[in-house]
């Protein structure tokens, strides 16, 4: 093999560098960015310059330095994605692997096309063609990839990545990278091509299939997670509704007993006439009268929800304040009322429970302000709560199973065209809901 | 100086309440003037709207707390009312008289002080803010709280206030920076709305002091979120 073939076999480092950068940019533009504006641009520019510089420096290294230099390159991509997007470390790793394979494929295809058309004859003086071709090929590939990435984000904001998902994509891409580069290490190997064109075809096709597998895997993971989310939200709704039903049943039972008791007291009073007993009976009457007024908010569903929660609060030494105009909730479905207030109060109570005895304070307020319905829960919370997009980040470790209470509330409020805002101020955590009241039930937002 | 009225028929409870108030005053370095009443009737006879805060028992002999508060509201819409009650169910309907909150008996100091903290956020008198605009033949000082919304037409800014309309030259950017973003919201390219005067929100339209203004599609969610925050911030 002459020197010309060897030279052309080696795809120039800047091909890869540009491809990696474009891959990173696509991921950065389709995900939530950590910071916008000049600072962000400067950081990316810095990392990209380092990448180009480093790849120029290590261009053509094929010996024992090859693996370490690849590690540095991947490290730079990873750093860029982690700094650029609001990713967890695992998410950044996951997207880094994807960006890497995308870049591999693009660079490989681009160089192959260049080799096929212009490489053979006029290798020396075709730099203009080279750049035009690169612009064209990268343009097409990355516009396609951008559209794919964009469509993947449609129904779901972000994918939860655990070690399992990361391991799978790491293994796939590791294999793809190894096979695609096998010919470079040993021309006579089992999966190696001897001719330059063979090598290119193998490399491009292996990269392409790797890319396809990664996207297929991504779609699968997304679908599983979407179904999981849907089921979980449905379960939450069902559970709160069941709680409400249960509470309602016991209220009905107590109500019946209460009426019986009232009756009996009346009968006793008319029959027994000693002063002491009648006094006693009157006291009893007064005492059970308290029950009559218990949690009469004007909305039966809310009453039932409040009943079970206030019993729980009493048992756990939590002081619950309620100042609500339940009549305002008439336009909402039974299921929605039970789920929304069940979730709101559960959250508040759960947080309050962790506080010291006298600081277990919870409040629920519902009122009307002009043509708006205002709902607010608050609870004392000595710990600092972290927020993301205006919503508290779950304090529970496994993200996959928690934080759904909040999501469920958001969904319910969205249905009525309202807004949910959470905040913490002076140790008080507040969850505030505002729903426009306008006769028609569903408000298009 | 903060003027507080307490209305409580039980002497023992009145003592506890007073102790809490004095401790709170000391800890927070306020200056309280406390006037004690023994029944709802006492406070509404010759009621003068002189108090910043009324702390009132609900169950009282002659005139109960709810009824008293109703009467007070007819004369004084601004005063902050906090109820005290043995049983929370009596206070559930406190919203009817626009009560801020209530406390449960026996009053514990921690809970008391937290409730008071919230009350004081509302009591702290807002300083009046003014902006000066150039109008025909001179300048005019506008009370910011009287501005319902600002409209831009070509190079003209129209301030719609409760006292009438005033036009001046300028761009919406000029006012946007001048007025508090927690208080005013840009609904679309041409309108800057005082959230205080938003009455209704339907479909894509809001009603501001009787006038209908459209909220552009991309600003609907932010608008509702800001309004949500605002209402919790200022409303009683």
């Amino acid at each position: 093999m002459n020197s010309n073939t060897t030279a052309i076999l080696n795809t120039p480092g800047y091909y890869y560098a540009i491809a990696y950068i474009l891959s990173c940019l696509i991921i950065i533009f389709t995900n939530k960015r950590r910071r916008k504006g000049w600072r962000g641009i400067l950081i990316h520019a810095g990392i990209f310059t380092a990448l180009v510089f480093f790849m120029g420096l290590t261009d053509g290294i094929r010996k024992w330095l090859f693996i370490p230099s690849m590690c540095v390159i991947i490290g730079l991509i990873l750093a860029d994605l982690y700094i650029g997007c609001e990713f967890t470390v695992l998410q950044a790793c996951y997207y880094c692997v994807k960006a890497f394979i995308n870049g591999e494929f693009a660079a490989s295809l681009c160089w192959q096309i260049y080799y096929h058309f212009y490489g053979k004859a006029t290798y020396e003086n075709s730099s203009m063609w080279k750049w035009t071709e690169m612009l064209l090929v990268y343009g097409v590939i990355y516009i396609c990839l951008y559209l794919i990435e964009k469509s993947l984000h449609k129904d779901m904001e972000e994918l939860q990545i655990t070690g399992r998902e990361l391991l799978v994509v790491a293994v796939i891409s590791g294999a793809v990278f190894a096979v695609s580069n096998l010919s470079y290490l040993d021309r006579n190997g089992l999966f190696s091509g001897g001719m330059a064109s063979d090598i290119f075809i193998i490399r491009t096709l292996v990269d392409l299939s790797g890319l396809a597998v990664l996207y297929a895997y991504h779609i699968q993971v997304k679908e599983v997670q979407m179904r999981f989310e849907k089921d979980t939200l449905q379960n939450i709704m069902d559970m709160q509704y069941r709680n409400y039903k249960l509470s309602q049943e016991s209220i009905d039972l107590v109500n019946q007993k209460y009426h019986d008791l009232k009756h009996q007291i009346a009968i006793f009073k008319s029959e027994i006439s000693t002063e002491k007993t009648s006094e006693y009976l009157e006291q009893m009457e007064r005492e059970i009268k308290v029950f009559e007024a218990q949690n009469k908010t004007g909305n039966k569903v809310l009453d039932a929800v409040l009943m079970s929660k206030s019993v729980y609060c009493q048992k756990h030494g939590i002081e619950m304040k309620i100042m609500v105009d339940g009549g305002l909730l008439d336009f909402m479905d039974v299921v929605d009322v039970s789920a929304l207030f069940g979730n709101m109060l559960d959250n508040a109570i759960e947080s309050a429970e962790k506080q010291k005895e006298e600081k277990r304070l919870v409040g629920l307020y519902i009122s009307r302000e002009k043509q708006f319905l205002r709902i607010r829960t608050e609870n004392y919370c000595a710990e600092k709560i972290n927020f993301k997009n205006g919503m508290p980040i779950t304090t529970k470790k496994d993200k996959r199973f928690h934080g759904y209470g909040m999501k469920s509330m958001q969904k319910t409020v969205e249905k009525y065209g309202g807004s949910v805002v959470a905040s913490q101020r002076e140790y008080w955590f507040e969850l505030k809901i505002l729903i426009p009241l306008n006769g028609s039930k569903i408000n298009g937002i | 100086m903060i003027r507080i009225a307490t209305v409580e028929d039980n002497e023992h409870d009145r003592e506890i309440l007073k102790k809490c108030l004095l401790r709170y005053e000391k800890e927070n370095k306020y200056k309280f003037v406390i006037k004690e009443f023994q029944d709802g009737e006492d406070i509404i006879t010759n009621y003068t709207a002189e108090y910043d805060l009324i702390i009132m028992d609900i169950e009282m002999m002659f005139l109960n707390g709810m009824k008293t508060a109703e009467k007070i509201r007819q004369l004084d819409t601004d005063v902050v009312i906090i109820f005290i009650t043995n049983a929370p169910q009596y206070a559930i309907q406190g919203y009817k008289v626009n009560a801020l909150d209530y406390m449960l008996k026996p009053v514990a100091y921690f809970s008391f002080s937290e409730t008071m903290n919230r009350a004081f956020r509302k009591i702290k008198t807002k300083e009046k803010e003014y902006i000066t605009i150039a109008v025909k033949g001179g300048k005019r000082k506008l009370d910011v709280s009287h501005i319902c919304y600002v409209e831009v037409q070509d190079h003209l800014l129209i301030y719609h206030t409760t006292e009438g309309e005033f036009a001046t030259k300028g761009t919406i950017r000029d006012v946007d920076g001048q007025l508090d973003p927690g208080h005013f919201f840009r609904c679309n390219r041409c309108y800057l709305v005082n959230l205080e005067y938003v009455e209704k929100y339907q479909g894509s339209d809001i009603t501001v002091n009787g006038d209908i203004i459209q909220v552009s599609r991309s600003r609907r969610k932010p608008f509702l979120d800001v309004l949500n925050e605002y209402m919790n911030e200022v409303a009683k």
Side-chain angles (χ1 to χ4, degrees):
Chain A
M1 223 170 271
N2 58 35
S3 62
N4 198 18
T5 338
T6 320
I8 203 159
L9 255 179
N10 182 38
T11 313
Y14 56 82
Y15 263 72
Y16 282 112
I18 293 169
Y20 293 150
I21 290 169
L22 288 170
S23 304
C24 285
L25 285 177
I26 277 179
I27 284 164
I28 289 164
F29 279 120
T30 49
N31 286 285
K32 272 220 173 65
R33 268 162 280 171
R34 231 188 256 282
R35 50 176 76 81
K36 284 178 179 168
W38 282 107
R39 269 188 65 195
I41 293 171
L42 276 176
I43 289 169
H44 289 304
I47 293 175
F48 292 154
T49 318
L51 195 66
V52 173
F53 180 73
F54 183 79
M55 293 193 69
L57 199 73
T58 57
D59 198 8
I61 285 179
R62 284 284 160 208
K63 295 209 175 92
W64 58 273
L65 268 176
F66 178 66
I67 300 286
S69 64
M70 269 337 278
C71 290
V72 173
I73 290 163
I74 292 174
L76 281 171
I77 298 175
L78 180 62
D80 185 61
L81 290 179
Y82 186 70
I83 294 168
C85 298
E86 278 183 5
F87 283 150
T88 60
V89 178
L90 285 174
Q91 278 175 322
C93 291
Y94 176 85
Y95 281 103
C96 167
V97 168
K98 281 183 62 165
F100 178 69
I101 292 295
N102 287 353
E104 282 286 311
F105 167 69
S108 163
L109 181 65
C110 190
W111 184 249
Q112 186 186 356
I113 291 170
Y114 169 73
Y115 169 79
H116 185 76
F117 285 111
Y118 309 106
K120 285 169 191 161
T122 52
Y123 175 62
E124 307 295 337
N125 46 20
S126 56
S127 74
M128 224 275 280
W129 279 112
K130 192 155 103 184
W131 290 106
T132 321
E133 184 258 347
M134 187 199 268
L135 193 73
L136 222 70
V137 175
Y138 279 3
V140 171
I141 292 174
Y142 280 104
I143 284 170
C144 289
L145 286 176
Y146 177 78
L147 293 175
I148 291 171
E149 283 290 338
K150 193 102 202 154
S151 73
L152 286 177
H153 275 278
K154 221 170 235 161
D155 316 300
M156 203 172 169
E157 270 304 306
E158 63 174 345
L159 216 57
Q160 303 295 339
I161 303 295
T162 62
R164 229 181 74 108
E165 279 90 31
L166 185 60
L167 184 71
V168 172
V169 294
V171 168
I172 293 171
S173 61
V176 166
F177 185 66
V179 173
S180 69
N181 282 287
L182 222 52
S183 311
Y184 284 98
L185 295 175
D186 177 12
R187 295 256 164 84
N188 306 314
L190 187 57
F191 294 102
S192 308
M195 300 296 290
S197 55
D198 293 346
I199 291 177
F200 288 146
I201 286 171
I202 290 169
R203 199 172 63 162
T204 308
L205 288 182
V206 170
D207 283 342
L208 176 64
S209 56
L211 185 142
V213 170
L214 285 184
Y215 274 110
Y217 182 69
H218 187 104
I219 290 168
Q220 201 209 347
V221 169
K222 183 183 144 187
E223 245 152 44
V224 168
Q225 288 186 5
M226 264 167 57
R227 202 172 319 133
F228 180 81
E229 182 176 311
K230 210 178 138 213
D231 290 350
T232 314
L233 288 178
Q234 190 58 49
N235 284 343
I236 288 175
M237 297 287 268
D238 291 349
M239 182 203 57
Q240 295 292 5
Y241 185 69
R242 267 201 309 278
N243 282 351
Y244 147 68
K245 275 280 177 206
L246 219 64
S247 175
Q248 187 63 58
E249 272 166 32
S250 39
I251 288 173
D252 290 346
L253 206 71
V254 174
N255 267 340
Q256 203 186 331
K257 291 280 174 230
Y258 164 73
H259 281 290
D260 292 352
L261 196 63
K262 216 164 75 172
H263 227 70
Q264 281 158 0
I265 290 174
I267 294 170
F268 281 143
K269 252 168 67 179
S270 64
E271 284 179 354
I272 304 163
S273 53
T274 64
E275 204 161 292
K276 216 171 171 193
T277 39
S278 77
E279 206 175 277
Y280 173 70
L281 284 171
E282 263 166 29
Q283 190 196 338
M284 214 166 139
E285 215 172 9
R286 270 201 305 277
E287 273 172 16
I288 62 166
K289 249 217 167 93
V290 172
F291 172 81
E292 213 168 36
Q294 196 98 37
N295 295 332
K296 288 277 156 53
T297 64
N299 183 296
K300 283 212 158 135
V301 187
L302 185 60
D303 288 353
V305 174
L306 283 173
M307 182 65 98
S308 67
K309 304 297 173 206
S310 55
V311 167
Y312 184 91
C313 284
Q314 252 166 26
K315 241 164 71 186
H316 293 80
I318 299 167
E319 183 185 308
M320 181 159 79
K321 288 191 199 171
I322 308 159
M323 207 157 85
V324 299
D325 184 356
L328 294 173
L329 305 174
D330 286 347
F331 69 96
M332 286 171 85
D333 281 345
V334 174
V335 182
D336 291 333
V337 173
S338 64
L340 183 63
F341 290 96
N343 281 325
M344 282 180 94
L345 290 168
D346 280 353
N347 271 6
I349 289 169
E350 196 184 322
S351 168
E353 247 184 313
K354 294 181 204 145
Q355 309 301 318
K356 282 195 196 122
E357 192 81 55
E358 51 161 3
K359 299 184 176 177
R360 293 182 192 153
L361 307 174
V362 170
L364 170 69
Y365 301 85
I366 303 173
S367 61
R368 179 182 172 158
E369 189 87 29
K370 293 166 195 161
Q371 287 291 317
F372 296 93
L373 164 64
R374 277 176 60 202
I375 303 168
R376 185 177 92 231
T377 52
E378 55 186 37
N379 59 275
Y380 188 84
C381 181
E383 301 85 38
K384 188 116 188 63
I385 293 168
N386 292 316
F387 288 87
K388 190 179 174 184
N389 304 330
M391 280 295 127
I393 298 172
T394 177
T395 43
K396 294 153 201 161
K397 274 266 161 68
D398 193 347
K399 242 182 147 181
R400 290 216 285 189
F401 294 94
H402 297 291
Y404 282 101
M406 211 46 92
K407 228 173 226 173
S408 169
M409 287 182 248
Q410 277 177 308
K411 230 180 112 180
T412 309
V413 174
E414 235 167 64
K415 182 176 160 190
Y416 297 100
S419 141
V420 190
V421 181
S423 63
Q424 190 184 21
R425 188 162 62 168
E426 290 168 12
Y427 303 119
W428 283 88
F429 175 80
E430 296 182 324
L431 192 70
K432 296 159 280 192
I433 292 172
L434 188 73
I435 299 176
L437 296 169
N438 45 22
S440 71
K441 209 166 94 176
I442 288 150
N443 185 18
I445 266 201
Chain B
M1 191 177 72
I2 289 146
R3 287 149 303 182
I4 298 171
T6 63
V7 190
E8 166 68 76
D9 58 349
N10 183 309
E11 203 182 321
H12 177 67
D13 290 342
R14 203 160 57 229
E15 272 310 301
I16 296 178
L17 184 61
K18 182 140 197 198
K19 269 186 196 152
C20 284
L21 276 168
L22 292 178
R23 182 173 161 194
Y24 187 81
E25 179 188 24
K26 210 172 159 194
E27 281 182 7
N28 295 278
K29 299 192 175 71
Y30 284 123
K31 178 111 188 62
F32 288 169
V33 176
I34 302 166
K35 208 164 175 185
E36 289 180 322
F37 296 94
Q38 303 195 4
D39 194 274
E41 279 206 342
D42 298 343
I43 188 169
I44 56 160
T45 1
N46 302 325
Y47 180 82
T48 46
E50 61 180 303
Y51 308 109
D52 298 303
L53 170 67
I54 298 174
I55 303 175
M56 183 157 49
D57 191 8
I58 292 186
E59 305 105 280
M60 286 184 294
M61 273 294 272
F62 299 103
L63 194 62
N64 74 35
M66 277 297 166
K67 292 241 170 72
T68 311
E70 268 172 40
K71 296 214 163 133
I72 289 173
R73 277 287 174 247
Q74 287 168 7
L75 303 162
D76 186 355
T77 49
D78 291 329
V79 64
V80 175
I81 297 177
I82 296 175
F83 285 121
I84 315 181
T85 177
N86 275 315
Q89 54 267 33
Y90 295 128
I92 284 180
Q93 305 203 319
Y95 63 86
K96 279 188 179 160
V97 291
N98 211 353
L100 176 75
D101 207 343
Y102 63 89
M103 302 176 191
L104 283 172
K105 281 187 194 173
V107 177
Y109 183 74
F110 180 76
S111 172
F112 171 85
S113 66
E114 288 299 326
T115 310
M116 291 293 278
N117 286 345
R118 319 200 115 233
F120 274 95
R121 261 195 243 151
K122 310 285 179 196
I123 292 170
K124 270 179 197 157
T125 43
K126 262 190 277 171
E127 278 176 42
K128 285 214 168 192
E129 257 186 273
Y130 293 95
I131 54 169
T132 320
I133 56 167
V135 289
K136 256 182 213 160
K139 293 200 165 176
R140 197 188 164 93
K141 211 161 127 189
L142 282 182
D143 182 344
V144 170
S145 66
H146 289 173
I147 301 172
C148 304
Y149 61 95
V150 185
E151 180 187 0
V152 66
Q153 275 180 12
D154 297 321
H155 296 291
L156 218 55
L157 284 171
I158 303 162
Y159 289 81
H160 296 258
T161 75
T162 49
E163 290 141 24
E165 292 176 14
F166 305 101
T168 179
K169 273 189 182 152
T171 64
I172 198 116
R173 282 225 175 132
D174 300 337
V175 255
D176 214 356
Q178 214 171 8
L179 300 169
D180 176 15
H183 210 111
F184 285 83
F185 190 85
R186 273 274 291 278
C187 291
N188 58 48
R189 271 193 14 250
C190 308
Y191 288 90
L192 187 68
V193 168
N194 187 346
L195 295 170
E196 181 62 40
Y197 291 97
V198 176
E199 291 155 3
K200 195 175 167 186
Y201 179 74
Q202 188 158 23
S204 61
D205 298 330
I206 51 172
T207 312
V208 185
N209 198 29
D211 299 338
I212 289 175
I213 292 171
Q214 213 178 42
V215 184
S216 64
R217 182 170 283 279
S218 65
R219 295 188 195 194
R220 282 176 209 169
K221 199 182 148 19
F223 168 73
L224 212 54
D225 287 346
V226 170
L227 186 66
N228 192 354
E229 287 281 10
Y230 175 80
M231 284 199 169
N232 279 288
E233 198 64 39
V234 297
K236 289 210 176 94

